[in-house]
Amino acid sequence: MPRLGSWIEPFPEGIYVRPADAWVDPSEAKEKALVTHGHADHARGGHGQVWATPETLAIMGVRYGEQNPVPVEHGETVRVGEVDVTFIPAGHVLGSAQILLEYEGERVVVSGDYKRRPDPTCAPFQVTPCDIFISEATFGLPVFRHPPTSDEVRKLLDRLEAEPTRCVLVGAYALGKAQRVIKELREMGHDAPIYYHGAMERLCNLYEELGVDLGELRPVSEATKDEMRGHIVICPPGALNDRWSRRLPEPITAMASGWMRIRQRARQRNVELPLIMSDHADWDELTTTIREVNPKEVWITHGREDALMHWCMINQIKSRQLNLIGREDEDD
C-alpha cells in the first residue's frame, strides 16, 4: 500500500504534484506553477503557466512582470492533470490562498502563509479538513503570542497625539503589511492623510484598484516637513534609518512586525515604537489550526519546525520537516 501523499514530492525548490505535473510555490521557473500568494519567497516570474487567484496574479504582474495566467477564484475547483485543485482563503495578504489538492481519495492542503485574526484587506482563513496539512511555522515557538491588533494601532495613535510636532515613521513590508496598517488605522477612525515612501505607491494603488479603500494617501516626495508634522508616514523597513528619512520632521521610528516581540530585533533596527503586528499565525493560531483541520499528518515547510514537530508528537500527530529553499523570515 503506497504511503499517504506519495504522489506529492517536496524538493528544495518547491512541492511537486506528480499527477498534475505541476509545482506549488516553486522558487525556480517551472512549466506549471500553483501559487499561494505574491510574496517573493512564494512567487516569481518566468513560469510557463500560473494558477492563482486574480488578486495574486495582479500582484505578480506588478512585481514580476506579465504572467501566462490561469485565474482561479476563492472556492473554485479546477482540474490540473489528474488532480482537482481548489483555492481557499488563507488570510495572509490580499489574494492569498491555501491550495487543496485532491487525488484518488486523498486530500492535501498546502496552506502557504496564513493567519487567523481578522484583516480588513483580505478574506479570512477558512479551515479545510484534510489528510495532510502543509503548514508554515514562522512563529512556531510558544513565546510568539501576538497581542490584539487594535492595541498596537492604539499605541501608534496615542504616540502620534502625544507628539504632534513630529511624525511617526512606520516600517512595514511593502506587500500586505503596509496596506493592512493603513486600513487598520482607518478602521480605528484615523482619517487624516497618510504619507508614503515612493516604493509603496504601485502596490497601494493596486490595492485600491482591487477594491481596498485606503483613504487619502500622499507621497512624501511632494510634501514639506511642516506638512508632515503630526502625521503617519509608511515606508519599507529598509528605509527606516537611511538618508531618505532625513526629510521627515523628527520622526518617531516604528515598525510593524511579529518580530517586534523580540526586543533585540527592535534594538537592532533602532525602533523606538515596536508594533507587534504579524501577517503570520502565532503559536496558538498554529496549534489551534492543526487541531481544527485534524489531519493525519502535518508537513512543516519553514520557520521554527522543531517546536511544532514536538507539539505534534505529544499530540500524536505524525509530522515531518520539508527543507525548502528560499523561504525567508521576511519583515512580516
Side-chain angles (χ1 to χ4, degrees), residues 106-118:
E106 292 183 4
R107 291 164 57 90
V108 176
V109 169
V110 185
S111 63
D113 291 335
Y114 65 94
K115 67 175 178 293
R116 299 299 304 273
R117 60 193 61 209

Side-chain angles (χ1 to χ4, degrees), residues 178-191:
Q179 296 78 22
R180 181 183 172 202
V181 169
I182 293 168
K183 189 65 174 174
E184 296 281 7
L185 285 162
R186 301 311 190 196
E187 298 277 308
M188 293 280 284
H190 183 75
D191 57 4

Side-chain angles (χ1 to χ4, degrees), residues 6 8 13 28 44 66 78 82 89 125 147 182 188 214 235 237 247-248 252 259 313:
S6 60
I8 293 180
E13 69 267 32
E28 299 176 359
R44 56 154 293 158
E66 288 302 313
V78 295
E82 301 172 33
F125 181 94
I182 293 168
M188 293 280 284
L214 300 176
C235 74
R247 69 183 68 193
L248 305 177
I252 299 160
W259 297 113
M313 181 185 70

